[in-house]
Amino acid sequence: MTNASDSRAAKLAHLRSDRLAKGDPIPLPLTMAAIFHAPGDATGFNQYGRFSNPNWDAIEEMLGHLEDAPCRAFPSGMGAISAVFFALLKAGDRILLPSDGYHTTRILADRFLGAFGVTTDVRPTSSFLDGGFDGYRLVFVESPSNPTLDICDITAAADAIHKAGGQLVVDNTTMTPFGQRPLDLGADIVVAADTKAPNGHSDVLFGHVASRDPNVIEAVTEWRENAGGIPGPFEAWLVHRGLETLELRFDRMCSSAEIVAGRLKAHRAVSGIRYPGLADDPSHNLARAQMERFGFLISFDLGSEQKAEDFINGCELIHAATSFGGVHTVAERRLRRGDAVPPGFVRLSIGCEPVEELWAAMEKSLDRIVA
Ligand SMILES: *Cc1c(COP(=O)(O)O)cnc(C)c1O
């Protein structure tokens, strides 16, 4: 990890220090409130739970510190993506989405944006720059894409999109700000599901939008206040607590993934493995250039639905579950979510278990499916 990222990590747990008065609690107090004491002039303080909450302020300060940009919190990753769509787009706009990105973003665009006169095109991440970006108001990139882990050159995409007059939105969920900083690479907006590694304990849904463009922040703030898609104070408090250990968990998960990916690749049950950290992966060189770590997601093919199910269900240190980024290692056969992948295609999210224990359990389960 770079020094800049170490210094961000070190400061993260001390952001509130300057404002503490003698006797204040060091951890963030939970503020469950729909209304606040509000006599007189109605500006400049908390008044109503749809407008503001001290736990939102705290989490937005933390996420803003990590993104180096103003942030707004949302009740889920899709809540954040919806805010970007509905606050920034108008009838007649065109948008471009990755065909291999998070499927719900495409469903949202197809099912709802179309009815408001917004046209959506899709394109695979691996050849995302081909065809240019003329006419697109917003272009979404997910890199590495989920679940095939292809990578898009964010700087080159940002340059081309800006020349064409559009804005680049990066869904940075798979990497977190400790793994990749899209705004530094030229992106205009970051969206992320903090449901995943930032919260990290698989008990909350949460999301955020970050941008250095004040118009974007103003628009999504207004959208949140008026549409009512607001995060709960307790959820904000939990994600705040999760973020305090993100750097530690992310470091462990990425380091373990690097080890596990190499061993999976060498196992005879496994084919078509994708992990940006593998030296011969198609994503490797670009990953080295634009990512700070290679991430904790690995995908591979076990040849059939049965073998994939047997591997997942037969491994005592893997939970069969969707989602990723939690402390527990989880895996899922992605065809069942409708991704365009073979029946035996598995997405594995490496958790925080000690890596040798984890690998021993995986190897045992893999050996069993080829026995
Ligand atoms: C999970 C996920 C989302 C959606 O997040 P929710 O919190 O489930 O709404 C968006 N993008 C990516 C890449 C995701 O993995």
Side-chain angles (χ1 to χ4, degrees), residues 76-79 81 102 142 146 171 173 193 195-196 205-206 324:
S76 64
M78 288 315 304
I81 292 168
Y102 194 66
E142 204 179 303
N146 167 28
D171 183 333
T173 300
T195 308
K196 314 292 167 56
L205 277 84
F206 211 78
F324 56 82

Side-chain angles (χ1 to χ4, degrees), residues 185-256:
L185 298 168
D188 301 284
I189 303 168
V190 161
V191 292
D194 299 306
T195 308
K196 314 292 167 56
N199 178 59
H201 296 74
S202 312
D203 48 11
V204 164
L205 277 84
F206 211 78
H208 75 269
V209 175
S211 179
R212 294 170 188 163
D213 177 345
N215 296 325
V216 168
I217 293 297
E218 192 187 327
V220 297
T221 308
E222 219 185 316
W223 163 262
R224 181 176 69 180
E225 185 171 316
N226 290 291
I230 56 161
F234 184 50
E235 283 70 15
W237 185 88
L238 280 171
V239 177
H240 183 279
R241 172 148 130 171
L243 278 176
E244 293 188 322
T245 54
L246 174 60
E247 191 263 345
L248 192 62
R249 290 182 284 104
F250 186 71
D251 184 37
R252 162 70 73 96
M253 297 191 312
C254 293
S255 299
S256 296

